[in-house]
Amino acid sequence: MQPFVYNALPMRVIFGSGTLSQVGPEIQRLGCGKALVLTTPAQAKEGEMLRADLGSLAVGLYSNATMHTPTDITEEALELAQRLGADCVVALGGGSTIGLGKAIALRTDLPQIVIPTSYAGSEATTVIGQTENGQKTTQKTPKVLPEAIIYDVDLTLTLPAQMTITSGINAIAHAVEALYSAEANPITDMLAEQGIARVANALKILSKDPHNIEARSDALFGAWACGSCLGAVGMALHHKLCHTLGGTFNLPHAETHTVVLPHTIAYNAPFSTVAMTKAARSLSAGSAAQGVYDLAKNLGAPYSLKQLGMKEADLERAADVAMKSPYPNPAPLDRERLLSLLRDAYEGKRPA
Ligand code: NAD
């Protein structure tokens, strides 16, 4: 057996249907009683309902969480939290809302209860990305790890059809990179293989039957497994590229992961054959790169950077940014090969 190091993150997870009713007891378990509920504008109605259900345990709602966690939004939410005397935050939503909760915790140490409604996986990591003056920077600190995660499958029934697929593939990306991570270990391997299989199978069902509760449950459980991998090991070229494309060119998060993943797998596969055999098996595909590409394309997700509005003229710059302070990666980084990866992703070519 290979020797390994495994760092488990402390994590309290409540998973099920109807678990939103557990938010109040969780606020009390933390010794709190003045929660500020956080959502994006799109989920403000759900936030308002939660706030009403919580009664005197909630002091307000901030419903302007924004993708890539801009610091001016954090300052605005923080000002409200302080004015209302909030003693904890309850983030209800996808990675953007959870990011805002983390940004508040980073500055105040307020406890967080998070209720993830997409498959992005931020709730299971100590990573916080923030954007200031158009520059996105990330840091890792246990200060941002939520005190409780409440997964309520019912809340994922409204996840829009395309976002279901792209967010699911965002989850798969965490697991794929965990399999070939420099810190890969038998525990994250198990989580990754199970996470990929659950999410991939569920997406096939959900693309036809978005209200299938069993498949929604599998997708959410798989997303937790994949997110736990992201929290436990370091990521590689794929996350670096998506970070570059999202931060520098303002491309949408889940869609960018979906388009780029088959191409980073193809780039790394010759240097991670055992890991990518496991990924292919979990995808029930002959090759992991083609398996992810076919899954996305067949289910109607975007499959080229061109479709996401990337400009061909920006590919060279993207390659330059991605070459700077690279993450550890199985295949050596070579600018020309990276540019060719980006060109293939731009055109939406099926990997060989
Ligand atoms: P998102 O949170 O921006 O969600 C996209 C839209 O879908 C939002 O309007 C949201 O309100 C809506 N939505 C989410 N769930 C819904 C549901 N069940 N029903 C109806 N609408 C719903 O997008 P995302 O992809 O979940 O998160 C992306 C952000 O998360 C990025 O900023 C990314 O950097 C961050 N992220 C961070 C980490 C980390 O570890 N720090 C990990 C993954 C993602």
Side-chain angles (χ1 to χ4, degrees), residues 168-187:
I169 293 175
N170 182 193
I172 290 175
H174 308 327
V176 163
E177 292 239 293
L179 285 170
Y180 59 52
S181 167
E183 294 155 275
N185 60 72
I187 296 110

Side-chain angles (χ1 to χ4, degrees), residues 39-43 46 66-69 92-99 102 116-129 136 138 154-160 163 167 170 174 230 253-255 257:
T39 67
T40 61
Q43 290 176 291
E46 288 79 0
T66 303
M67 193 172 280
H68 304 307
T69 329
L92 171 73
S96 298
T97 307
I98 295 169
K102 286 173 147 182
T117 62
S118 77
Y119 306 133
S122 175
E123 64 278 6
T125 83
T126 56
V127 179
I128 163 99
K136 188 167 177 176
T138 57
D154 303 352
L155 300 177
T156 62
L157 293 171
T158 52
L159 193 62
M163 172 87 180
S167 192
N170 182 193
H174 308 327
L230 177 69
H253 178 84
E255 290 88 337
H257 273 272

Side-chain angles (χ1 to χ4, degrees), residues 37-87:
V37 177
L38 308 173
T39 67
T40 61
Q43 290 176 291
K45 205 173 87 211
E46 288 79 0
E48 198 47 74
M49 278 160 55
L50 175 59
R51 179 201 149 142
D53 283 350
L54 289 173
S56 62
L57 288 175
V59 288
L61 166 71
Y62 180 82
S63 60
N64 198 25
T66 303
M67 193 172 280
H68 304 307
T69 329
T71 48
D72 54 337
I73 296 288
T74 301
E75 293 305 328
E76 196 177 81
L78 205 54
E79 197 269 324
L80 181 66
Q82 277 156 355
R83 186 152 43 84
L84 297 173
D87 60 6

Side-chain angles (χ1 to χ4, degrees), residues 86-110:
D87 60 6
C88 65
V89 291
V90 174
L92 171 73
S96 298
T97 307
I98 295 169
L100 174 61
K102 286 173 147 182
I104 293 174
L106 181 69
R107 289 161 176 78
T108 60
D109 265 336
L110 285 186

